[in-house]
Amino acid sequence: MAEAQADYLESLNPPQKEGVINTEGPCMIIAGAGSGKTRVLTYRIAHLMKAHNVDPFNILALTFTNKAAKEMQHRIESVVGHDAKNLWMGTFHSVFARILRAEASRLGYPSNFTIYDTDDSKSLIKLIVKEFNLDDKVYKPNIIYNRISGAKNRLVSWREYLNNPIYYEDDKMNMRPEMGRLYQAYSERCFAADAMDFDDLLFNTNILFQENPDVLNKYQQRFHHVMIDEFQDTNISQYMIAKRLAAVRQNICVVGDDAQSIYAFRGADIQNILNFEKDYPDLKMIRLEQNYRSTKTIVNAANSVINKNTAQLKKSVWTQNSEGELIDLIKATSDNEEGKLIASSIFENKMQNQVPNKDFAILYRTNSQSRAMEEALRRNNIKYRIVGGLSFYQRREIKDLLAYFRYVVNPNDEQAMRRIINLPKRGIGPGTINKMVVAAAESQTPLWEIMEKATSHVGGKGGTQVENFVALIKSFRLTNEKKDAYDTASQIAKTSGLLKELYEDKTIEGMNRYENTQELLNAIKEFTEQPDREDKSLGAFLQDVALLTDEDRSEKTEDAVTLMTIHMAKGLEFEYVYIVGLEEDLFPSQMMLSSRADLEEERRLFYVAITRAKKKLSFSYALNRYRFGRLKNCEPSRFLEEVDPEFIKVNRKFSSSDPVSPGVNYVTKNFVNNLKKETTKKKFANQLINHTPSPDFEPSDTTNLEVGMKVEHPKFGFGEVSAIDEQGANKKAKVDFEKAGEKTLLLSFAKLRIL
């Protein structure tokens, strides 16, 4: 605070100062990770007010989170005082909702229109689907909502959608030809209800400005300066509004980092930042390249990765911080062991360096990976918290399946019954359940017995459906008497219909939920395969889970290891960071290998993960991982080979002692599994696998590898060893490949066949 109240310009490095004082005309500040972009943006606003006497009412600053807006306002107040409260500062949605309230009549809305949240929107969609007599298994609310949201973010109205044959053919191909009519009905019902959803707040602001030039002019005259934080995360709708508002004075300043654009699945368009200069030819571009967060090792490793992307604004991030430790590479035989090794590493770092839990973060690509990490941390009595999601066993889909397990083991568990009796939907409503509960109470008979003869107590279809449900549970109980926990759980998951329902939901949320249920089954499989465990029943597993989840909620504990997806970690920093699950088809995700653009977004995600670390960074991967109840061989992620090997060392202490070398089966099977993707991959030979290993390919012992030897790599093809760098466990080789060029490989995990 005292520093800010003094001459704030003195605390800035030259590029930062340039970003603050260049206040006229279009400006783009490319801010590398940890380069102090928030300081530049806040001091720029303060400088406008303090040095140029710009009225705060004439400044518009747009952010993506309320937290960021509040932090910026607080910093500005420390320089200019309470006048900072008069800034038009906030999230896109909050600022434009404010404008829409004032101008609502221009669009036919009252000023007190309702804003629907996601659940409101999906409930309305569900009702419309029912009214249209459409199959709700095909026209799922999640899918319909996301489709409409995507259209609005691209500024496509329902009228344009209905009249576009391309959209119709796409929907027809996906067995949803009525999508356009649903979009129309949804929009009309929202309008009739005087309601806007979140996407409407942006979509309708664009319509307001497009159809009402006087209103647009009014706000163009009001906002002399427009500033946007995290510009790489904007969608088309957001950028068009900002562009219109800044059209008169051209005083638009955007701050962002194309290397951290990771939200395409939310509609973010990286082209906004990549092509900004085309919209403003006289643009002033300022690069913030000094990293204040991380060690030289971490910064340089991150640079070596992101430089592989072709679509980027070139910059050279550097730091004056210390060299720091090399990045630990942790190799595990399985995902379960990966969790144990990570937990052991955290425990040792805590003890040796006397650091609190909150200095540690474990980052993963998908939420389902948290399960092994959570269990290992619990066993080591290390407190943790899940950010951006529930603890694995508290997630809805997990609790649903566990409720089935509980009810099969104990049919007197009324709470479990209430959760699952109409899940998936069977036409058993609350009224039916209440009648049975009353009958059980009046006759002092267990509820289960009433349910067995439901037709005697409940009239109509409901009673029959209850008896069918009872028969289903009885079949599960028979299986449970004869089979172990995994066989019983698998039958319940499949036969109940839960797994099928989740599998058919192809939204990102649906796929995550499906992966989570598979991860639960993986946990049960591991449970039954523990050689020292005598009782392998479903009841024994439930008891283990109950003991794990009955502890105090770690989310309430301040000093806790942070577990989160990399997407959730953006904008945060930690002393110690573990990036886990660095395997092909997991990270990069199998769903992000169909195009160069997708793969480059995955690489940006890896870059974001690396740059969260301040002091120490660790990578880990498993050679085997449970997927869908089966132990699968895994291949180390291509991203590991893209990090310059000089920044990595294999951590022998916290890696599997088993010299796992799957050899020909490991490499060849993985390649065969990817053959189906080969046609697409060949289009992007620079980024993806483009070499077919020889039929007799088997990794050789590279202990005695020498310069001049001919070798084969499963991805890079044939080459000749040009140099050897002897560093014990971290021995590296430079290989000049015929097609891939020169590569430096860490021999401890690179697969080479000596010819």
Side-chain angles (χ1 to χ4, degrees):
M1 183 78 73
E3 177 194 59
Q5 286 172 338
D7 189 349
Y8 52 90
L9 293 177
E10 293 300 317
S11 65
L12 304 173
N13 66 32
Q16 288 176 333
K17 185 175 180 179
E18 191 179 3
V20 168
I21 64 176
N22 279 281
T23 57
E24 297 300 312
C27 177
M28 179 159 69
I29 300 172
I30 302 299
S35 62
K37 73 166 179 72
T38 304
R39 168 177 287 198
V40 172
L41 192 55
T42 53
Y43 284 4
R44 180 185 175 89
I45 295 170
H47 189 71
L48 282 168
M49 295 171 63
K50 196 167 185 178
H52 297 277
N53 297 315
V54 177
D55 191 320
F57 287 100
N58 297 139
I59 299 174
L60 172 63
L62 299 167
T63 67
F64 274 85
T65 65
N66 289 313
K67 179 183 177 184
K70 288 177 182 176
E71 180 185 346
M72 286 169 59
Q73 191 167 54
H74 177 72
R75 290 195 191 187
I76 295 165
E77 275 190 64
S78 70
V79 179
V80 302
H82 295 303
D83 208 20
K85 295 184 183 298
N86 296 322
L87 289 161
W88 278 70
M89 176 181 284
T91 64
F92 282 87
H93 291 89
S94 66
V95 168
F96 298 137
R98 182 178 171 186
I99 291 176
L100 286 171
R101 295 276 184 209
E103 311 294 342
S105 61
R106 296 298 190 106
L107 297 171
Y109 281 86
S111 60
N112 64 340
F113 61 82
T114 298
I115 298 176
Y116 279 171
D117 63 16
T118 305
D119 287 338
D120 295 327
S121 296
K122 290 179 181 178
S123 295
L124 176 55
I125 290 168
K126 186 177 179 181
L127 182 61
I128 295 170
V129 168
K130 185 177 181 180
E131 291 174 357
F132 280 22
N133 292 316
L134 298 174
D135 186 347
D136 58 5
K137 293 183 177 63
V138 176
Y139 291 91
K140 294 182 178 179
N142 268 356
I143 295 172
I144 308 305
Y145 174 79
N146 289 333
R147 185 71 168 172
I148 293 173
S149 175
K152 289 180 181 178
N153 286 333
R154 295 190 304 274
L155 300 179
V156 177
S157 69
W158 66 261
R159 291 180 181 84
E160 292 169 307
Y161 193 101
L162 266 178
N163 294 320
N164 190 317
I166 296 175
Y167 292 135
Y168 176 74
E169 288 301 321
D170 188 44
D171 289 331
K172 189 176 178 182
M173 186 175 68
N174 287 298
M175 309 300 288
R176 286 185 285 273
E178 298 296 322
M179 184 63 237
R181 279 211 309 140
L182 288 172
Y183 185 6
Q184 176 184 358
Y186 171 76
S187 299
E188 291 175 342
R189 293 283 281 272
C190 284
F191 184 75
D194 293 329
M196 296 187 198
D197 63 22
F198 285 136
D199 297 310
D200 283 329
L201 297 177
L202 303 176
F203 183 79
N204 286 338
T205 301
N206 272 293
I207 293 175
L208 175 70
F209 291 158
Q210 184 177 338
E211 297 182 353
N212 301 274
D214 59 322
V215 175
L216 174 59
N217 182 62
K218 171 182 165 182
Y219 289 98
Q220 286 173 335
Q221 298 306 320
R222 172 170 295 174
F223 301 130
H224 297 181
H225 293 268
V226 176
M227 275 161 275
I228 305 174
D229 190 19
E230 303 287 6
F231 185 60
Q232 76 279 350
D233 294 335
T234 55
N235 59 35
I236 294 171
S237 183
Q238 290 163 328
Y239 179 40
M240 287 305 298
I241 297 170
K243 191 176 177 182
R244 282 191 171 110
L245 288 172
V248 174
R249 289 181 173 80
Q250 300 278 296
N251 289 332
I252 181 169
C253 175
V254 300
V255 183
D257 182 6
D258 58 293
Q260 297 186 63
S261 179
I262 59 173
Y263 294 123
F265 67 92
R266 293 181 188 169
D269 189 346
I270 192 174
Q271 296 305 317
N272 288 348
I273 192 168
L274 294 180
N275 296 328
F276 191 68
E277 192 169 7
K278 293 180 181 178
D279 290 340
Y280 299 94
D282 57 342
L283 175 73
K284 175 72 174 178
M285 187 178 291
I286 298 165
R287 289 177 169 82
L288 306 183
E289 298 174 314
Q290 183 175 357
N291 179 296
Y292 292 92
R293 175 188 299 158
S294 309
T295 64
K296 284 188 174 72
T297 294
I298 293 169
V299 168
N300 292 333
N303 287 342
S304 70
V305 169
I306 203 61
N307 285 341
K308 307 294 191 301
N309 272 8
T310 57
Q312 62 173 302
L313 298 169
K314 287 295 183 182
K315 59 183 173 298
S316 180
V317 179
W318 58 278
T319 184
Q320 288 184 335
N321 292 343
S322 66
E323 201 69 37
E325 297 181 54
L326 291 177
I327 300 167
D328 274 350
L329 180 63
I330 298 172
K331 178 173 65 175
T333 56
S334 68
D335 48 348
N336 201 35
E337 187 190 42
E338 182 185 37
K340 293 177 182 176
L341 294 172
I342 297 298
S344 297
S345 174
I346 290 174
F347 183 81
E348 178 162 294
N349 276 315
K350 276 168 51 69
M351 295 301 103
Q352 285 187 351
N353 302 312
Q354 297 299 302
V355 289
N357 290 324
K358 64 183 179 182
D359 282 354
F360 295 87
I362 301 175
L363 308 182
Y364 35 76
R365 180 63 179 83
T366 64
N367 278 312
S368 62
Q369 291 171 256
S370 75
R371 193 266 310 167
M373 299 296 153
E374 288 186 66
E375 292 183 358
L377 291 170
R378 285 194 192 100
R379 292 190 183 102
N380 282 268
N381 291 319
I382 299 173
K383 292 181 179 179
Y384 67 90
R385 64 191 184 104
I386 304 286
V387 174
L390 294 170
S391 174
F392 183 83
Y393 289 106
Q394 292 299 312
R395 290 169 185 153
R396 188 181 78 192
E397 60 275 18
I398 300 303
K399 289 176 75 70
D400 290 344
L401 202 45
L402 288 174
Y404 263 99
F405 299 164
R406 284 165 47 197
Y407 199 51
V408 168
V409 172
N410 176 16
N412 292 322
D413 189 337
E414 184 178 331
Q415 292 305 309
M417 179 276 290
R418 286 181 176 273
R419 187 177 186 102
I420 66 171
I421 193 169
N422 201 39
L423 188 73
K425 294 191 180 303
R426 301 183 175 86
I428 304 173
T432 299
I433 298 171
N434 290 338
K435 286 180 183 178
M436 293 189 299
V437 170
V438 170
E442 289 178 347
S443 62
Q444 295 187 337
T445 305
L447 183 57
W448 172 256
E449 293 181 16
I450 297 294
M451 291 172 63
E452 287 180 302
K453 300 175 182 177
T455 51
S456 302
H457 305 279
V458 180
K461 186 180 177 182
T464 303
Q465 292 294 346
V466 171
E467 289 187 3
N468 291 340
F469 171 72
V470 168
L472 181 69
I473 297 300
K474 284 182 175 179
S475 72
F476 294 155
R477 297 191 72 194
L478 286 173
T479 302
N480 190 43
E481 291 172 4
K482 302 173 184 177
K483 303 286 187 178
D484 65 20
Y486 178 72
D487 289 337
T488 305
S490 295
Q491 184 188 340
I492 293 171
K494 293 172 186 174
T495 312
S496 67
L498 280 184
L499 213 56
K500 181 174 182 290
E501 184 175 73
L502 291 175
Y503 179 77
E504 289 175 346
D505 184 355
K506 298 303 182 183
T507 64
I508 290 175
E509 178 188 359
M511 288 186 285
N512 281 337
R513 292 178 63 205
Y514 179 73
E515 285 181 7
N516 288 339
T517 57
Q518 291 296 338
E519 188 64 15
L520 176 61
L521 295 177
N522 292 342
I524 300 173
K525 183 73 169 178
E526 289 181 9
F527 173 88
T528 59
E529 290 183 349
Q530 292 176 12
D532 57 346
R533 183 173 292 281
E534 294 182 8
D535 188 353
K536 300 181 179 183
S537 67
L538 190 60
F541 175 78
L542 287 172
Q543 179 175 303
D544 269 23
V545 171
L547 291 173
L548 288 174
T549 57
D550 280 347
E551 296 179 9
D552 293 335
R553 284 276 149 255
S554 58
E555 288 86 346
K556 297 177 183 177
T557 307
E558 186 178 353
D559 184 30
V561 174
T562 300
L563 276 69
M564 67 175 89
T565 64
I566 302 166
H567 281 103
M568 291 299 303
K570 187 168 170 291
L572 303 178
E573 58 183 41
F574 301 90
E575 297 289 328
Y576 298 82
V577 170
Y578 294 82
I579 306 173
V580 303
L582 280 165
E583 299 140 33
E584 284 294 297
D585 295 339
L586 183 56
F587 193 17
S589 167
Q590 189 173 11
M591 294 183 292
M592 299 293 282
L593 296 176
S594 61
S595 71
R596 185 190 298 277
D598 284 347
L599 181 61
E600 292 203 350
E601 171 136 340
E602 284 290 280
R603 190 176 286 111
R604 291 194 295 271
L605 189 61
F606 185 44
Y607 175 82
V608 166
I610 291 173
T611 54
R612 298 312 93 198
K614 297 171 68 176
K615 180 178 180 181
K616 175 70 177 176
L617 179 63
S618 300
F619 298 149
S620 72
Y621 67 96
L623 293 169
N624 301 277
R625 186 174 294 271
Y626 272 100
R627 300 295 298 271
F628 310 109
R630 294 182 181 180
L631 195 62
K632 299 278 188 179
N633 288 330
C634 303
E635 181 181 353
S637 169
R638 72 191 69 192
F639 292 153
L640 288 174
E641 294 182 344
E642 292 181 354
V643 179
D644 193 321
E646 72 173 285
F647 305 120
I648 297 179
K649 68 178 177 67
V650 176
N651 189 319
R652 295 296 180 186
K653 183 171 185 179
F654 294 110
S655 284
S656 170
S657 57
D658 180 7
V660 177
S661 181
V664 64
N665 291 332
Y666 168 56
V667 176
T668 306
K669 280 182 181 177
N670 186 273
F671 180 78
V672 170
N673 288 340
N674 286 308
L675 276 180
K676 294 178 182 178
K677 301 177 229 170
E678 187 178 15
T679 303
T680 304
K681 289 184 176 184
K682 281 183 179 177
K683 297 178 183 176
F684 310 103
N686 291 334
Q687 306 296 329
L688 307 179
I689 301 171
N690 63 347
H691 170 70
T692 303
S694 303
D696 60 343
F697 184 94
E698 184 171 355
S700 304
D701 181 355
T702 55
T703 305
N704 299 314
L705 189 70
E706 297 177 2
V707 172
M709 283 185 169
K710 305 288 187 183
V711 296
E712 180 186 8
H713 186 276
K715 289 182 185 176
F716 302 137
F718 298 99
E720 181 178 326
V721 179
S722 59
I724 298 287
D725 185 2
E726 297 280 357
Q727 291 186 15
N730 298 307
K731 184 178 180 181
K732 301 161 191 167
K734 281 188 178 179
V735 181
D736 187 10
F737 290 101
E738 293 173 2
K739 295 181 180 179
E742 189 175 78
K743 302 284 183 184
T744 303
L745 305 175
L746 193 62
L747 294 179
S748 54
F749 74 93
K751 305 282 187 295
L752 289 176
R753 180 173 79 102
I754 299 174
L755 303 179

